[in-house]
Amino acid sequence: MNTMKKDIGKAGIVAIMFMSSLTVMVGNAITPALPELGKVFGLGNFASWLVTAPALGVVVTSIFFGKLIDKVGPYKVGVAGLFFYGLTGVLGAFMPNAVLLFIDRFLLGAATATIMSSGVTLIAGFFQGEMQLKILAIQGMSMEFGGVVFLGVAGFLADFTWKTPFFIYALGFLALLMILIFIPAIGPISENNDDNNNQTNAKGVPLALVLLIAFLGMLMFFTAMVSLPIYLQNNLGYSPSFTGYYLAVLDLIAVLAAGFMPKIVAKIKAQGCLTIAFICYALAYILYFISPAKIILAIAVVFMGLGFGLSTPLFNSLVVSKSAPEKKGINASLCTMAMFTGQFLSAMLVSFISGLSLFIIASSIAIIIGICILPVSRYFAK
């Protein structure tokens, strides 16, 4: 059955979507200012760690917050997370040195862990079946659309000073207000589920492999997100505003792809959709390796956006479908941790492998993953 446990209305759905839109941009909001941040704080290429420092906060704290969600419910955890998201995000503009800035970014990541896992668990609490997949796809679109808007604004603001993009995080306070007004306070999901919602899909690829694919998918995406600002500005001479607009176009493509994702899954199943996503990642990196020409950059950004939009919403859907009600919070947090581990480790690739070598290595990884998905899923199906 495709029913809703409690009618939260369109305003409630919008509130969850706006909350979700803040998660992916947690690191990306400052990417247009990355080269200047590297100069101001003397970080050089290691400025990319400022983008992925929140991911470390997510990785370290996700399990704790996942257990807390299963214990007290996603509502209370999400409300607290949004408050600290807005607070720590804005405070980044006032950090006097790199050490304190990294600490602040780490705490911002911890807040992000709460709102990302809470958002997925709220959806699991209010929706089921095909409707749940559609809402998770819309959530994925919201995450990407947040990147479109916030990256475009961040690129514009970065032309003024490196500090101004940090004020985008104040949107966390607006999201907090919307959740308080439009979402009913619910407890743990296990207490809000009826018998029809206790079914899980334990067949097929095990949860651990789904989490591994989620990790690799985000590794592919964020390797581009932390390397492209440096590549576009330092190597090709483009401005911070151009970088912001370019990355915003990437996210816009991802929004459109996430919207079509459920239809693709209905025709060729999840494994087919994920195979296409990783092949798109590979093609994008190959194009970046081949030429810096504008037409090539334009085609590459389309493939990169397709890769992200066809994969990221699907990760959450697969994890939720394989989770019992009393485990949805912890498993959603494991998915969050896996994805942000990929984001965090992408900084290592960018820090130690630069230039065209990075693009060819990333494309090779994506090709190998894409080739392996179908055989592995068929093995476990048997």
Side-chain angles (χ1 to χ4, degrees):
M1 295 178 62
N2 298 331
T3 59
M4 215 165 30
K5 303 175 183 60
K6 192 180 294 184
D7 187 5
I8 59 174
K10 293 182 179 179
I13 295 174
V14 171
I16 295 176
M17 296 307 127
F18 185 58
M19 172 185 180
S20 301
S21 72
L22 303 176
T23 55
V24 168
M25 56 78 68
V26 64
N28 296 352
I30 65 168
T31 50
L34 208 56
E36 187 177 355
L37 281 165
K39 296 175 182 177
V40 170
F41 291 99
L43 295 171
N45 285 339
F46 287 94
S48 60
W49 288 80
L50 290 173
V51 175
T52 55
L56 179 60
V58 173
V59 171
V60 172
T61 61
S62 284
I63 297 297
F64 169 77
F65 289 123
K67 292 179 179 179
L68 189 62
I69 288 171
D70 286 331
K71 184 177 181 180
V72 305
Y75 184 85
K76 292 180 179 179
V77 176
V79 165
L82 285 169
F83 173 78
F84 285 104
Y85 179 96
L87 180 64
T88 55
V90 173
L91 285 177
F94 304 98
M95 294 296 107
N97 56 60
V99 174
L100 289 178
L101 182 55
F102 274 114
I103 293 173
D104 177 77
R105 301 286 289 171
F106 175 88
L107 295 176
L108 175 63
T112 303
T114 68
I115 63 177
M116 189 164 185
S117 297
S118 295
V120 174
T121 312
L122 281 170
I123 292 172
F126 289 117
F127 301 92
Q128 62 175 338
E130 293 180 9
M131 181 62 73
Q132 186 181 92
L133 176 59
K134 291 180 180 178
I135 297 299
L136 286 170
I138 295 173
Q139 184 196 37
M141 294 172 66
S142 301
M143 292 162 64
E144 318 318 332
F145 187 72
V148 174
V149 176
F150 302 141
L151 278 170
V153 174
F156 171 76
L157 294 176
D159 280 340
F160 294 96
T161 171
W162 63 268
K163 291 186 176 183
T164 45
F166 285 92
F167 295 106
I168 295 175
Y169 295 112
L171 290 171
F173 297 122
L174 177 58
L176 169 61
L177 183 62
M178 292 176 66
I179 293 294
L180 291 173
I181 295 174
F182 299 118
I183 301 295
I186 61 172
I189 297 301
S190 58
E191 298 177 1
N192 292 275
N193 272 269
D194 55 37
D195 292 337
N196 291 331
N197 297 325
N198 290 334
Q199 300 177 359
T200 60
N201 181 17
K203 297 180 180 180
V205 176
L207 179 63
L209 281 180
V210 174
L211 296 176
L212 176 61
I213 293 294
F215 157 73
L216 293 170
M218 293 300 276
L219 178 65
M220 290 295 94
F221 175 69
F222 273 97
T223 296
M225 293 302 290
V226 298
S227 65
L228 285 176
I230 297 173
Y231 176 67
L232 292 173
Q233 294 180 46
N234 293 352
N235 292 51
L236 303 184
Y238 289 106
S239 67
S241 57
F242 175 87
T243 302
Y245 299 143
Y246 185 82
L247 297 180
V249 169
L250 191 161
D251 278 329
L252 180 59
I253 299 298
V255 170
L256 299 175
F260 286 105
M261 183 271 293
K263 295 181 179 179
I264 296 175
V265 170
K267 291 184 177 181
I268 60 174
K269 298 184 179 181
Q271 55 267 39
C273 187
L274 290 175
T275 298
I276 293 174
F278 278 95
I279 295 302
C280 285
Y281 279 138
L283 291 173
Y285 280 116
I286 289 172
L287 289 171
Y288 286 128
F289 175 78
I290 290 175
S291 172
K294 289 184 177 180
I295 184 63
I296 299 299
L297 292 177
I299 298 173
V301 79
V302 172
F303 281 118
M304 187 62 67
L306 288 173
F308 192 41
L310 293 178
S311 59
T312 303
L314 196 50
F315 299 144
N316 286 323
S317 175
L318 291 171
V319 169
V320 167
S321 69
K322 291 180 176 292
S323 304
E326 67 275 9
K327 294 289 186 180
K328 289 188 185 295
I330 186 65
N331 287 347
S333 70
L334 286 172
C335 187
T336 299
M337 183 176 70
M339 290 192 289
F340 277 85
T341 300
Q343 178 179 340
F344 176 72
L345 293 182
S346 66
M348 295 184 65
L349 285 176
V350 176
S351 297
F352 298 107
I353 305 174
S354 60
L356 298 180
S357 299
L358 175 66
F359 296 144
I360 199 64
I361 290 174
S363 66
S364 300
I365 295 173
I367 290 172
I368 292 172
I369 300 167
I371 292 174
C372 291
I373 289 176
L374 287 177
V376 170
S377 61
R378 287 171 182 169
Y379 170 80
F380 282 101
K382 295 179 181 179

